[in-house]
Amino acid sequence: MPGPWARYANWLHLRWPAGHVEPRPRVRADGGTAVPGLYLAGDHLSRPLLGDALDSGARTAARIAADPTLRAGSAAPGLLDLVIVGGGVSGFAAALEARRAGLAYELVEADEPFSTPANYPAHRAILPPASADRPAGSLQVTAATREALVAELRAQAVRAGVVARIARAERVERAGDHLLVVLAAGPPLPARRVIVAIGRSGCFRRLDIPGEDLDHVFDRLHDPEAHAGGRALVVGGGERAAEAAIALAEAGAEVTLVHRGGVLTRPRFRTLALLSERLAGAPTRPWRRRVNRADIPRRAPGPGTVALRFATRLIEVRPGAAVLQQADGTIETVPADAVFVMIGRQRPGDFLLRSGVPLRDRPGRWQRVGLALLVLPAAALCDWRSGGPLGAWWRARDWFPYAVPSWLASAGGALARSAADPRTLVGTLAVSAAAPAFWCALAATLLVAVCGALRVRRRPVPYVIAQTLTLAGVQALFLFLLPEVILPWLGHNGRLPRGLLDAFFPMSTHGHGREYWRAYGLVLAWPLQAANVLTPAPLWAWLAIAMTQTAVLVPLAVHRFGTGAYCSWVCPRGALAETVGDTRRGMMPHGWRWNRLDLAGQVLLGAALALLALRIAGWIRPGPDGADALFARLWGPWRWITDVLLAGALGYGLLFRASGRVWCRFLCPLGAFQHVLARGSRFRILAEKPRCIQCGTCTAVCHLGVDVMGFARHGRAVEDPECVRCGACVHDCPTGALAFGRLAPRGGPVTLDALPTSPVRMRAGG
Ligand SMILES: Cc1cc2nc3c(=O)[nH]c(=O)nc-3n(C[C@H](O)[C@H](O)[C@H](O)COP(=O)(O)OP(=O)(O)OC[C@H]3O[C@@H](n4cnc5c(N)ncnc54)[C@H](O)[C@@H]3O)c2cc1C
């Protein structure tokens, strides 16, 4: 990317956290999967909370034990009743239940028992259970801190006589009428039933070196500030290792990054650039691309810096020290108060896929083909609506809806008489209903109403209720009743002043005889309703409205309430995305590469501005050879490309493949304009770091691709301008760590939104 554009892209879209979302499996409410006999428990089945994990583990094992068909079929030697993969809280809860029920079982853990709680930040306060109900089973948690929690869990496991076998499971396979749990080392375990309780973090790779189990060795970084002023050693050459090194250095630790290779190839460019700002010691060349050497500061080693050690391995960890071995065999002991082994992990999604469990939000090959085919009908529908080539062909045949007036006339009687008189309501409807736009508006209104009601049932909190009612009301009144029924009916009955009609709805040769469709522009601000602005001669009334909307109202609303004030409370696209697309949120792709595509909207915004300039030039100097003619040549293709191809085929067509916000996130020029405005907005999603358990739920439900967790885990307010304040992340956060609010102008106290969105906070009275 050229310099200024790269800086602009970074300022607007590329500087934000861009984590990926862990795919979720398709699982039934009882934990059953598409693989007969294979059940899921813990974080893959329930809310990512200790209490829920305990509950689901114990219940799943109890259900299996109570199944009368459990021991039906062959009884091969060594065949177990149950193998539990994952020795976390849900795995142990299942094991305790299996033992109590007298099942022949085995519990397999890749790392250490209860490794997730054991890796919480030191002295972390444990959040109280989200519900008052006691989890099923005998394993329970009551502790208030990490240390006490791990101690009480281990003590209960010991008392119950449940021991985990330390081994990594690779996959689960079917073998005749039973299942095989394939281990990384050793013979597979045959079992009648398998519970997979591997959590969401997956299983982190280990170095298998002496001292790796010491208390100051971690496989994830939760709290960089906890290591401020200390010496930290990070092992790894990937993005996670580089990011951890930067975060630790930024928090004030003196960091050594150890990598067995000779060059850092995997971190992204921006991460390498940040790393370069922290580099200590002699200049090295860690980059896979050229970086101006003069830009690399060479600081003296100390707090806040990162020293790079290439071609080096960590071979032992001791209390307060780490032993390194260089490629030439030289051994060196360096001080290390904390050691982070970040050499990758086996993602839970990969394990599940290998075991034949399909993932949600990831369609299979045939589904992909089927979904791709949806793009074509969406394009056809939009072309039909906007009178493109297909629409013109259809119209020439006088099929539905153009034939509606003649159908009504042939009905005879009072109905035919009313339909023939546009001053009656039936007559007005008959004229409107002869155009595809009427039916599309009616369908959108009904869809928003029905799917909106379902959304409210799923998320019955004041914010979602108010938002859904507003969206449905705006859709029904301004985007259906007013342009299609009320205004034409008033016009036909002479109830609207002539001056107002001439100013807003010029005469036309078809339909109602006036262009009442322009009333869609009361809600659709420029550049969305460009047809009201880019007219052959200026329509001053609409120009005034469009400019007031885009230059005054939208900026004011964005400044105070963020991008979502328009996109999630007014816009008809937003209405469909938030209601029809409510259950498809998880399909929006995340990550840095996709964030680069966010810039497509900026390109479209530039094109819309260029077209506006051309239109104005055409008004000033009309004529067949000037800007007027050029504009006329461009206007048709522009409308077809934006309305049919981008907004229609991609925007609607991909709703079931990539969520309802494809158009809004990547392409909408009004959205792109608001992203720029939002950089000056005081609206934020505020995050309480102590409550964030890094479960990724917030990021997963963001259908604008915002990595909410990337902000929340550091307690940072979410300032990615893509956020349309739909409320899904705040609502779904299992610990109530998120809230909508506004920053004070000069760093004063933040103001939280008055409308509650988080059920957890509502229960807690906050
Ligand atoms: C930082 C943090 C703080 C949290 N704080 C709280 C809190 O305060 N209150 C609360 O209620 N919840 C909290 N949670 C959430 C809670 O820890 C989880 O909901 C819970 O641990 C989930 O239990 P689980 O058994 O499903 O998975 P996990 O506890 O993650 O256990 C999964 C186990 O499976 C093992 N495993 C993975 N892959 C394999 C494999 N292939 N073979 C064998 N074993 C494998 C892993 O090593 C791991 O031990 C927090 C989570 C985090 C990350």
Side-chain angles (χ1 to χ4, degrees):
M1 277 196 251
W5 175 246
R7 278 198 290 280
Y8 179 65
N10 187 46
W11 173 78
L12 194 60
H13 282 310
L14 302 184
R15 63 195 321 210
W16 316 116
H20 290 271
V21 175
E22 205 52 58
R24 294 167 298 167
R26 285 180 205 270
V27 55
R28 294 193 299 271
D30 68 349
T33 65
V35 180
L38 194 158
Y39 293 81
L40 300 183
D43 277 359
H44 284 297
L45 184 60
S46 48
R47 285 176 303 179
L49 294 170
L50 290 165
D52 289 36
L54 289 169
D55 190 77
S56 68
R59 280 186 199 280
T60 311
R63 255 194 306 273
I64 289 172
D67 181 357
T69 65
L70 175 66
R71 294 203 174 113
S74 67
L79 182 64
L80 296 160
D81 291 327
L82 177 65
V83 170
I84 302 155
V85 181
V89 280
S90 63
F92 267 93
L96 262 70
E97 191 58 32
R99 190 176 168 86
R100 194 194 58 76
L103 299 186
Y105 76 95
E106 184 93 61
L107 172 62
V108 179
E109 163 58 39
D111 188 350
E112 59 168 324
F114 307 110
S115 73
T116 299
N119 273 286
Y120 290 175
H123 313 299
R124 183 181 199 282
I126 302 304
L127 298 170
S131 88
D133 300 337
R134 185 179 189 273
S138 50
L139 190 65
Q140 297 293 320
V141 294
T142 56
T145 61
R146 173 196 91 155
E147 286 70 14
L149 172 74
V150 176
E152 76 169 342
L153 286 168
R154 285 182 181 153
Q156 291 178 74
V158 170
R159 266 203 307 279
V162 173
V163 180
R165 170 202 282 229
I166 300 299
R168 198 179 72 224
E170 288 292 326
R171 63 183 179 280
V172 182
E173 277 178 6
R174 259 224 96 75
D177 62 355
H178 61 267
L179 297 161
L180 277 184
V181 176
V182 179
L183 304 178
L189 298 173
R192 294 188 161 95
R193 302 283 188 272
V194 174
I195 296 179
V196 175
I198 56 176
R200 290 201 186 180
S201 310
C203 132
F204 291 89
R205 292 210 180 91
R206 290 168 58 90
L207 290 166
D208 291 324
I209 53 168
E212 200 171 1
D213 292 328
L214 286 172
D215 268 358
H216 67 295
V217 183
F218 307 94
D219 50 26
R220 39 207 131 167
L221 172 64
H222 291 305
D223 192 3
E225 281 78 25
H227 306 278
R231 290 167 193 251
L233 189 105
V234 180
V235 184
E239 175 75 14
R240 259 182 81 234
E243 270 189 347
I246 296 164
L248 285 161
E250 282 175 354
E254 182 179 344
V255 186
T256 304
L257 180 61
V258 174
H259 176 39
R260 64 182 175 175
V263 67
L264 289 177
T265 54
R266 282 178 292 137
R268 53 188 170 114
F269 191 60
R270 188 179 139 66
T271 311
L272 291 177
L274 285 174
L275 193 59
S276 78
E277 290 169 14
R278 296 273 161 195
L279 276 190
T284 43
R285 196 175 172 75
W287 326 117
R288 62 191 151 111
R289 293 178 229 182
R290 284 179 66 80
V291 169
N292 185 353
R293 289 296 199 91
D295 288 346
I296 302 178
R298 291 149 208 179
R299 304 181 185 210
T305 64
V306 181
L308 287 172
R309 305 292 297 264
F310 287 127
T312 305
R313 289 170 189 272
L314 174 67
I315 56 168
E316 187 182 344
V317 184
R318 297 178 188 155
V323 183
L324 305 178
Q325 183 180 37
Q326 285 161 22
D328 60 7
T330 316
I331 306 268
E332 184 190 357
T333 302
V334 296
D337 305 313
V339 175
F340 294 88
V341 179
M342 297 189 153
I343 52 173
R345 67 182 172 128
Q346 192 189 53
R347 292 174 172 271
D350 296 343
F351 180 93
L352 295 169
L353 275 180
R354 276 200 301 276
S355 304
V357 179
L359 300 177
R360 265 203 279 169
D361 311 334
R362 302 283 156 105
R365 190 177 347 139
W366 291 113
Q367 277 168 307
R368 264 203 291 273
V369 173
L371 291 170
L373 290 179
L374 280 178
V375 169
L376 298 177
L381 186 71
C382 291
D383 187 273
W384 178 70
R385 183 196 181 283
S386 58
L390 183 77
W393 176 83
W394 188 279
R395 185 184 191 134
R397 267 137 200 90
D398 214 17
W399 287 336
F400 174 83
Y402 304 104
V404 168
S406 51
W407 292 345
L408 289 170
S410 61
L415 181 63
R417 275 196 302 283
S418 300
D421 181 359
R423 287 170 306 173
T424 65
L425 197 57
V426 176
T428 299
L429 281 172
V431 178
S432 289
F438 172 88
W439 296 98
C440 290
L442 177 62
T445 304
L446 294 176
L447 278 171
V448 169
V450 173
C451 297
L454 296 174
R455 179 192 191 214
V456 165
R457 211 169 68 177
R458 277 190 292 270
R459 305 173 201 265
V461 292
Y463 183 88
V464 173
I465 295 170
Q467 187 189 46
T468 312
L469 286 177
T470 310
L471 284 171
V474 169
Q475 171 65 44
L477 182 61
F478 290 98
L479 297 151
F480 176 58
L481 291 174
L482 210 56
E484 300 293 343
V485 185
I486 299 173
L487 286 172
W489 183 80
L490 290 174
H492 287 303
N493 285 283
R495 305 264 180 98
L496 295 174
R498 180 68 192 261
L500 182 131
L501 283 173
D502 289 343
F504 285 94
F505 311 113
M507 304 291 277
S508 120
T509 51
H510 54 271
H512 292 288
R514 281 194 181 269
E515 296 174 347
Y516 291 110
W517 56 264
R518 292 194 184 275
Y520 283 100
L522 291 173
V523 163
L524 295 173
W526 178 86
L528 295 185
Q529 177 79 344
N532 278 0
V533 174
L534 308 180
T535 43
L539 274 181
W540 295 109
W542 284 116
L543 275 178
I545 286 190
M547 289 310 125
T548 309
Q549 288 168 328
T550 308
V552 182
L553 298 179
V554 168
L556 283 177
V558 172
H559 181 68
R560 193 171 166 82
F561 301 110
T563 313
Y566 182 82
C567 300
S568 270
W569 283 76
V570 177
C571 178
R573 278 290 175 150
L576 283 172
E578 298 305 336
T579 53
V580 183
D582 187 40
T583 53
R584 327 296 301 176
R585 293 171 191 278
M587 306 200 101
M588 176 55 82
H590 286 67
W592 180 67
R593 290 205 164 76
W594 287 101
N595 285 2
R596 296 176 71 159
L597 258 191
D598 293 353
L599 292 156
Q602 298 296 317
V603 177
L604 279 181
L605 175 62
L609 281 167
L611 213 60
L612 177 63
L614 201 60
R615 180 64 284 177
I616 294 171
W619 288 336
I620 297 168
R621 297 192 58 172
D625 303 322
D628 214 15
L630 181 58
F631 173 83
R633 271 208 299 281
L634 292 177
W635 176 229
W638 164 261
R639 282 190 74 184
W640 196 83
I641 288 170
T642 51
D643 290 0
V644 177
L645 215 59
L646 302 181
L650 297 183
Y652 293 126
L654 293 181
L655 193 149
F656 293 98
R657 172 71 186 89
S659 95
R661 288 283 190 182
V662 172
W663 161 261
C664 315
R665 173 180 175 187
F666 298 116
L667 299 163
C668 175
L670 183 59
F673 176 53
Q674 292 184 76
H675 295 159
V676 180
L677 298 172
R679 294 293 285 111
S681 170
R682 301 216 309 273
F683 162 76
R684 297 284 188 277
I685 301 173
L686 304 163
E688 275 185 48
K689 182 175 165 181
R691 285 190 187 213
C692 176
I693 57 171
Q694 303 182 21
C695 60
T697 305
C698 49
T699 299
V701 295
C702 180
H703 55 171
L704 271 301
V706 178
D707 179 11
V708 183
M709 189 189 86
F711 291 91
R713 62 202 279 238
H714 300 299
R716 280 173 63 194
V718 179
E719 48 181 330
D720 188 329
E722 284 281 355
C723 169
V724 293
R725 64 178 301 153
C726 65
C729 60
V730 180
H731 177 274
D732 286 11
C733 174
T735 61
L738 302 172
F740 286 141
R742 266 178 303 125
L743 303 179
R746 273 173 289 279
V750 295
T751 320
L752 293 185
D753 261 18
L755 269 182
T757 313
S758 160
V760 179
R761 285 181 180 237
M762 283 165 67
R763 270 197 301 274

